[in-house]
Amino acid sequence: MRTKVWNVDKFVDNLENDPQIVDAAQLLRQNEVVALPTETVYGLGGNAKNDEAVSKIFAAKGRPVDNPLIIHIAEENQLDEFVAEIPEKAAMLMKAYWPGPLTLIFKQKLGVLSEKATAGLGTVAVRMPDHPVALALLKSCKLPIAAPSANRSGKPSPTTAEHVLEDLNGKIAGVLDGGATGVGVESTVVDCTEAVPVILRPGGVTKEQLVKVVGPVEVDRALTGGSAKPKAPGMKYKHYAPNAPMFLVDGTTDFIQQLVRDKQAQGLRVGVLATEETASHYKSDLVLACGKRSELPTVASALYDTLRTFNHEKIDVIYSEIFPTSGVGQAIMNRLLKAAGNHIIVEK
Ligand code: TXA
Ligand code: MG
């Protein structure tokens, strides 16, 4: 299959009627799959009501079938079609953070969406992305769109159209290139089906921001180190992994430099994931500055591109700095721990 690339200018007026958006929307209506930019990462979209379209998403990604997809909408009234009820706290969060990087879990009105999209669960994950291209496409195709991140399963999520093509060229009908995404980590997934909302996956909307709107919020225990099974099926998989083994290091720059020297002495090529403030402290085969430590959103924004860049060089092992878990730092550390298979070295 030849994968079309549409270059769209996200700043033009009336994007919904742009011929490229209309072309992509037409393919979605024909149950083909198309990658689209959102404010978090690129998604791989398909008609959420059609089994064939949803199967194409799973096939292109090589995704396990027990991992349900997020349904994307452009207008709140689209919820009526497939959501059984909207709890009060969910309504408050929607009002505050939609469109935006927040996914809410609802009880599902059964029989509307493809069961393959929701992995046969009685619930459904929904979000309204805050990106002009995504919203224009959703409005143009007039369908709820199932869209996981547009990477091969296990790889870092894509934050540019080039990342999407790196993984999926020839496997999907097209990609709308709307430039680099902004937030850089995926949406926060929150379960509002119980009295106290539960964060199933930390993401672009922070815990602090949720608490401000609805009061106490819990975090799924599986995320805070317990042995419980995660409530978001996707959180049990290894993810975001660069090709070389990666270790997080809780220690000083001097300690990390010593680890680098030890590996280099064994003849290995070593990568360091650092920040703009610290990169100049290291001498290694490849040192990448992933945003500014003093501004965590810049780290989130650069994270997946940095992980992919290590794959473009011959690197045998990667050491990464760690980050505070306040604000978007919680999502950053969640993704880094997964990328590192939970390996963390602590300076004594
Ligand atoms: O920012 C994002 O959320 C991006 C963009 C493209 O919108 N999408 C994304 O989708 O990250 P994906 O498929 O990579 O991750 C969806 C997560 C998975 O961990 C999945 O298990 C969880 O949401 N999920 C989906 N439906 C669920 C449900 N009904 N109950 C619990 N977790 C669910
Ligand atoms: Mg994903």
Side-chain angles (χ1 to χ4, degrees):
M1 173 187 291
R2 197 182 68 84
T3 299
K4 284 190 181 181
V5 180
W6 302 277
N7 290 298
V8 272
D9 176 359
K10 64 181 176 187
F11 298 112
V12 300
D13 290 337
N14 213 357
L15 204 48
E16 214 180 309
N17 297 319
D18 177 283
Q20 320 208 66
I21 298 278
V22 171
D23 194 18
Q26 185 72 24
L27 284 166
L28 288 173
R29 292 202 66 85
Q30 292 163 0
N31 299 322
E32 294 298 334
V33 296
V34 164
L36 61 140
T38 79
E39 80 282 32
T40 57
V41 301
Y42 274 73
L44 179 59
N47 179 359
K49 300 205 266 189
N50 183 269
D51 282 345
E52 192 196 338
V54 173
S55 297
K56 286 180 188 169
I57 295 176
F58 280 90
K61 281 184 59 87
R63 180 175 175 111
V65 293
D66 70 345
N67 190 6
L69 308 179
I70 295 172
I71 312 303
H72 294 63
I73 58 172
E75 327 223 9
E76 265 177 41
N77 61 19
Q78 288 181 272
L79 288 174
D80 300 340
E81 195 186 359
F82 58 87
V83 162
E85 59 181 12
I86 301 173
E88 197 188 336
K89 285 183 181 163
M92 289 158 78
L93 289 172
M94 281 156 53
K95 188 155 181 266
Y97 299 119
W98 276 12
L102 174 68
T103 293
L104 297 170
I105 309 288
F106 298 99
K107 292 204 176 96
Q108 203 189 143
K109 222 179 246 177
L110 296 173
V112 181
L113 300 175
S114 160
E115 277 188 31
K116 290 183 197 286
T118 57
L121 300 177
T123 53
V124 58
V126 191
R127 89 176 190 98
M128 188 188 290
D130 188 14
H131 193 289
V133 173
L135 289 171
L137 181 68
L138 289 165
K139 284 181 188 155
S140 179
C141 75
K142 299 187 172 63
L143 288 169
I145 293 297
S149 49
N151 50 289
R152 285 285 292 173
S153 233
K155 295 278 172 203
S157 297
T159 53
T160 64
E162 290 73 37
H163 294 164
V164 174
L165 291 169
E166 201 171 274
D167 283 13
L168 301 178
N169 196 8
K171 295 188 166 76
I172 60 176
V175 52
L176 283 159
D177 184 348
T181 61
V183 177
V185 291
E186 297 87 341
S187 62
T188 307
V189 179
V190 178
D191 184 353
C192 282
T193 61
E194 290 174 46
V196 179
V198 187
I199 297 176
L200 306 189
R201 176 179 75 179
V205 171
T206 65
K207 184 180 178 192
E208 294 86 338
Q209 286 175 304
L210 297 171
V211 169
K212 216 192 288 170
V213 175
V214 290
V217 170
E218 283 175 7
V219 179
D220 184 5
R221 281 220 226 107
L223 303 185
T224 50
S227 56
K229 193 169 140 213
K231 289 190 183 133
M235 297 302 283
K236 67 176 178 282
Y237 294 107
K238 191 177 177 199
H239 258 130
Y240 319 111
N243 297 337
M246 178 158 123
F247 297 87
L248 307 191
V249 188
D250 182 358
T252 59
T253 52
D254 284 349
F255 179 69
I256 295 175
Q257 183 62 54
Q258 188 55 51
L259 294 173
V260 170
R261 269 196 292 268
D262 291 349
K263 287 292 179 199
Q264 287 184 321
Q266 297 168 25
L268 298 179
R269 287 177 56 82
V270 185
V272 179
L273 188 153
T275 51
E276 283 179 27
E277 291 93 332
T278 55
S280 65
H281 289 71
Y282 302 109
K283 276 208 182 66
S284 191
D285 299 287
L286 179 63
V287 180
L288 297 177
C290 179
K292 280 200 190 111
R293 178 166 285 284
S294 55
E295 286 171 52
L296 288 182
T298 65
V299 176
S301 185
L303 184 61
Y304 293 140
D305 183 65
T306 304
L307 292 177
R308 279 177 183 262
T309 303
F310 283 117
N311 289 349
H312 300 157
E313 309 273 329
K314 277 208 159 45
I315 291 294
D316 301 304
V317 58
I318 302 164
Y319 290 113
S320 171
E321 296 181 357
I322 62 165
F323 295 88
T325 54
S326 55
V328 77
Q330 189 163 34
I332 294 168
M333 281 304 289
N334 171 268
R335 307 307 192 269
L336 276 175
L337 277 163
K338 277 180 169 285
N342 284 318
H343 293 302
I344 179 156
I345 300 170
V346 183
E347 183 176 5
K348 293 274 166 20

